[in-house]
Amino acid sequence: MSKTPHVLVFPPLTELQVPSALYGRSTERWKILAHVVAAHVRQASMNQRASVVLRPGEAPRLSIIGWFSHEEAAHIRTAIPWFINALSRLRLVDYTQVEVDCILLGESLRDRLQDQFLEDASFVGIPRGGTVVLGLLGYVLDLDQTQIHPQDLTSGPLIVVDDCFLSGARLARFLEEHPSATEVVAVGLYAHPDLRTAVEQNRPRVKDCVTAWDLTDYAPEIYGDDYEAWKARWDRRETGPRLWTGITEHLYFPWGEPDYGIWNSETEQTDRAWTVAPPDRSLEARFSGQRGSEGAVQIQRPASGAISVPPEVFYATFSDHVLIGATGSEECLELDGSAADFWMALVTCETISEAKVVLQRKYDIEPERLKSDLRAFVETLADRQFLETEGSVDAISF
């Protein structure tokens, strides 16, 4: 699978889009966010020649730079806007909130179902979030241990528990895998009201669908006039069982985040959306064997002086190579050898004189030749808008 260089730049992010409750309150939040993205990039590309570049400052920016196949680059381009939008729809559910939700859910079940029904019912959690919720719900409802995950699911009514119902796909698959259960109640912490209605209307075996809280559908707000067309496109796609189409809050539970499917228009298939929580805030991420982000984040410090990197330009170093790209441009410049050394000397040294000293030590060439080569290099990259200078290049003393 051939890989080509890519520079994929995130849109600008604000502090409000990077919640302190998840990423911390200090400036370290941006590094944490960069490492979350880097772990996904590593997982998608399965190679070490990819980095997330963080440019700190008053308006921090992120970019993804590396060598990717067409399919890998298409996945990343699809995942970035969903990831950003998910941050704006984030709903954090900590353990304390889960306990409160389970108490509310238990009260709702007692209000909706007769005591005898609850005593006769078997309870099954859909792995893995559903099993966590069922464990807590067992205390709230004071369930007998024989009612939880029994061998025989046909002896009475069945209550199926999950942490949330989004599209209804997990519930639909469970019902297909357990056709013998004739009377079912679907139970979860979160769902959109229309999803609950769809479950009861489209799955006759489901007597009721009960949740502790309602979710909001943000799809009409996100897609505006294109909402109906967007919904119709999703409903036509062969993506497995789906009882409802919408975009709700992005839920975060302490054990993990639900799987969200996003449509990749380049490959015309459903991709798995990126999770947003740092590994130390998610049991699933911490123990899933997901590739780490060590060494996958580079910090691009703002350059100042006669020669600097424009705000819209990002670069990353890989051994003796440098990849450079700009916001809104498909062009990606790959430097190696002396060109890579020239770039790094110019962007890391405080003055041109310091850069010349570094290069002179490495290449041991005549000062006049170095001055000429350095000027030509800056002129070329300034013309292509990868470098910017104070005034004309001719006015700079090399």
Side-chain angles (χ1 to χ4, degrees):
M1 184 184 297
S2 63
K3 295 177 183 280
T4 55
H6 293 268
V7 177
L8 307 167
V9 182
F10 274 61
L13 292 169
T14 66
E15 287 194 2
L16 291 177
Q17 291 175 283
V18 187
S20 59
L22 197 58
Y23 298 103
R25 295 186 177 278
S26 68
T27 55
E28 291 296 308
R29 73 170 68 177
W30 297 99
K31 289 183 182 178
I32 295 171
L33 178 67
H35 278 281
V36 170
V37 173
H40 288 301
V41 173
R42 282 274 177 88
Q43 198 74 13
S45 62
M46 300 299 289
N47 72 68
Q48 302 295 318
R49 302 186 75 196
S51 282
V52 171
V53 175
L54 168 63
R55 191 176 65 209
E58 293 184 3
R61 295 293 300 273
L62 289 176
S63 66
I64 299 170
I65 301 178
W67 285 263
F68 304 104
S69 68
H70 170 73
E71 291 76 13
E72 291 166 352
H75 169 72
I76 294 171
R77 278 192 290 266
T78 301
I80 288 174
W82 175 273
F83 183 85
I84 294 172
N85 190 265
L87 289 174
S88 68
R89 296 179 285 105
L90 191 59
R91 183 164 183 167
L92 300 175
V93 185
D94 60 18
Y95 276 113
T96 300
Q97 185 62 52
V98 171
E99 288 189 10
V100 171
D101 294 347
C102 285
I103 293 171
L104 289 174
L105 184 58
E107 292 172 349
S108 295
L109 285 172
R110 287 197 175 97
D111 289 341
R112 302 276 284 272
L113 304 174
Q114 295 180 357
D115 291 342
Q116 191 61 49
F117 186 97
L118 290 173
E119 290 176 11
D120 294 340
S122 298
F123 288 72
V124 175
I126 300 179
R128 285 171 291 188
T131 56
V132 177
V133 174
L134 176 54
L136 295 173
L137 197 59
Y139 288 103
V140 174
L141 295 176
D142 193 24
L143 299 179
D144 189 278
Q145 62 180 4
T146 60
Q147 292 182 266
I148 300 174
H149 288 280
Q151 293 289 332
D152 183 10
L153 300 180
T154 63
S155 59
L158 179 63
I159 295 181
V160 181
V161 182
D162 207 350
D163 49 14
C164 63
F165 301 120
L166 300 176
S167 68
R170 279 160 53 92
L171 176 62
R173 285 193 293 269
F174 180 91
L175 293 173
E176 290 173 0
E177 294 166 1
H178 300 82
S180 57
T182 57
E183 191 173 23
V184 177
V185 175
V187 173
L189 300 182
Y190 297 87
H192 190 277
D194 291 348
L195 181 280
R196 294 199 299 269
T197 300
V199 168
E200 295 166 9
Q201 291 179 346
N202 293 288
R203 294 297 185 270
R205 288 189 293 149
V206 179
K207 171 183 178 179
D208 205 347
C209 184
V210 183
T211 58
W213 296 101
D214 290 346
L215 293 176
T216 302
D217 185 10
Y218 290 92
E221 175 185 326
I222 293 171
Y223 290 99
D225 293 341
D226 192 46
Y227 165 70
E228 293 296 340
W230 167 83
K231 188 173 183 296
R233 287 193 297 270
W234 261 115
D235 291 341
R236 288 195 301 268
R237 291 166 182 153
E238 296 295 331
T239 57
R242 171 179 289 271
L243 301 178
W244 179 74
T245 300
I247 300 176
T248 66
E249 294 93 326
H250 184 96
L251 292 168
Y252 156 80
F253 296 105
W255 47 87
E257 298 165 49
D259 289 339
Y260 293 91
I262 52 176
W263 184 253
N264 187 327
S265 60
E266 296 184 53
T267 61
E268 295 190 339
Q269 64 184 18
T270 304
D271 287 356
R272 184 178 179 180
W274 292 351
T275 54
V276 302
D280 64 342
R281 300 293 300 275
S282 166
L283 282 175
E284 180 181 16
R286 201 182 315 171
F287 298 106
S288 65
Q290 180 174 312
R291 292 164 64 89
S293 60
E294 296 78 9
V297 174
Q298 300 185 31
I299 307 298
Q300 180 177 322
R301 300 292 177 186
S304 59
I307 300 171
S308 60
V309 180
E312 66 275 7
V313 171
F314 296 83
Y315 67 89
T317 60
F318 303 92
S319 185
D320 59 348
H321 284 70
V322 177
L323 287 186
I324 311 169
T327 306
S329 172
E330 293 294 325
E331 184 179 15
C332 184
L333 181 62
E334 182 177 353
L335 304 178
D336 60 7
S338 60
D341 292 333
F342 274 34
W343 174 273
M344 291 308 300
L346 287 168
V347 301
T348 58
C349 294
E350 293 188 5
T351 65
I352 295 174
S353 296
E354 289 181 18
K356 287 165 60 179
V357 170
V358 170
L359 294 169
Q360 185 76 48
R361 287 173 180 166
K362 181 164 188 175
Y363 288 101
D364 191 26
I365 61 176
E366 293 295 327
E368 288 303 314
R369 171 67 184 278
L370 177 58
K371 182 188 297 186
S372 174
D373 289 350
L374 201 55
R375 181 184 295 275
F377 179 83
V378 172
E379 285 180 342
T380 299
L381 269 70
D383 287 343
R384 298 174 67 175
Q385 299 182 331
F386 289 121
L387 288 174
E388 63 183 9
T389 63
E390 290 183 353
S392 67
V393 176
D394 292 336
I396 299 175
S397 175
F398 286 90

